[in-house]
């Protein structure tokens, strides 16, 4: 082996699979202990962005096609998960992580938050009289959807604060921020 090839081989071994690492590159302070409301709100807002894209798209498609409440909500929830995970994966992939590991990080980071958010915002949409039946040109539809997402943000933020304080939820993403 040449010296260059030997050095490259050593570097490859040294930078092998890091999936077992806990991400302790100076980010422990984000993962456990005292978590600020600002950090929790930021994590929730990140999650809300993906959820809102999927939720709005699902509600628009279901409403435009005249689907019933159940079909519309199923589509909205599915798209909320897709877009929520996709936004998290985008940042993790940018950090040089492979697709499979980025998906694992997104699942660990966002699943609980998205579930809570989706239960709340779809629940609100169902209890606002006429919101699900209102057309896309209706102020009731858009007002109820905005209100539902706002309530979901408010009620999911404490959940994320609790998760991050235990090194779970969005805390797992911090290992990939540079």
């Amino acid at each position: 082996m040449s010296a260059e090839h030997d050095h490259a081989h050593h570097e490859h071994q040294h930078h092998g699979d890091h999936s077992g690492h806990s991400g302790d590159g100076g980010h422990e302070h984000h993962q456990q202990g005292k978590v600020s409301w600002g950090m929790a709100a930021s994590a929730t807002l990140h999650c809300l962005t993906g959820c809102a894209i999927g939720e709005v798209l699902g509600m628009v498609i279901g409403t435009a096609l005249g689907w019933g409440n159940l079909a519309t909500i199923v589509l909205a929830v599915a798209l909320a998960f897709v877009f929520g995970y996709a936004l998290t994966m985008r940042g993790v992939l940018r950090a040089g992580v492979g697709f499979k590991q980025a998906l694992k990080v997104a699942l660990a980071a966002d699943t609980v938050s998205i579930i809570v958010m989706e239960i709340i915002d779809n629940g609100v949409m169902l209890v606002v009289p006429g919101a699900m039946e209102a057309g896309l040109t209706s102020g009731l539809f858009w007002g109820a959807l905005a209100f539902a997402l706002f309530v979901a943000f408010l009620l999911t933020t404490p959940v994320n604060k609790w998760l991050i304080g235990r090194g779970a939820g969005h805390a797992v993403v911090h290992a990939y921020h540079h």
Side-chain angles (χ1 to χ4, degrees):
M1 265 195 232
S2 71
E4 282 182 0
H5 183 264
D6 187 44
H7 177 71
H9 181 71
H10 172 72
E11 286 297 311
H12 177 73
Q13 286 177 331
H14 177 32
H15 293 305
D17 181 18
H18 295 288
S19 62
H21 288 208
S22 63
D24 56 6
H27 294 285
E28 308 83 33
H29 62 282
H30 292 298
Q31 294 179 356
Q32 292 188 335
K34 187 155 177 70
V35 177
S36 72
W37 282 104
M39 183 185 297
S42 176
T44 306
L45 188 58
H46 178 269
C47 183
L48 180 69
T49 302
C51 286
I53 293 168
E55 188 74 26
V56 170
L57 190 57
M59 290 287 178
V60 166
I61 291 169
T63 301
L65 296 176
W67 289 0
N69 290 353
L70 181 61
T72 299
I73 288 174
V74 167
L75 178 62
V77 169
L79 291 175
F81 274 93
V82 168
F83 283 94
Y85 290 145
L87 285 182
T88 295
M89 287 182 65
R90 185 183 72 175
V92 175
L93 287 167
R94 252 192 252 144
V97 175
F99 183 85
K100 188 175 178 180
Q101 183 62 25
L103 179 59
K104 288 179 184 179
V105 170
L107 292 172
D110 293 335
T111 299
V112 172
S113 184
I114 293 173
I115 288 171
V116 171
M117 201 166 281
E118 288 304 300
I119 289 170
I120 294 167
D121 70 43
N122 285 290
V124 169
M125 285 298 289
L126 287 170
V127 299
V128 172
M132 292 293 293
E133 293 76 26
L136 295 178
T137 59
S138 167
L140 174 61
F141 173 81
W142 292 105
L145 187 55
F147 177 69
L149 292 169
F150 176 72
V151 171
F153 172 80
L154 288 179
L155 297 179
T156 306
T157 298
V159 173
N160 282 328
K161 186 176 188 306
W162 182 80
L163 287 168
I164 295 167
R166 279 145 189 79
H170 206 263
V172 301
V173 175
H174 287 285
Y176 301 95
H177 291 187
H178 296 294

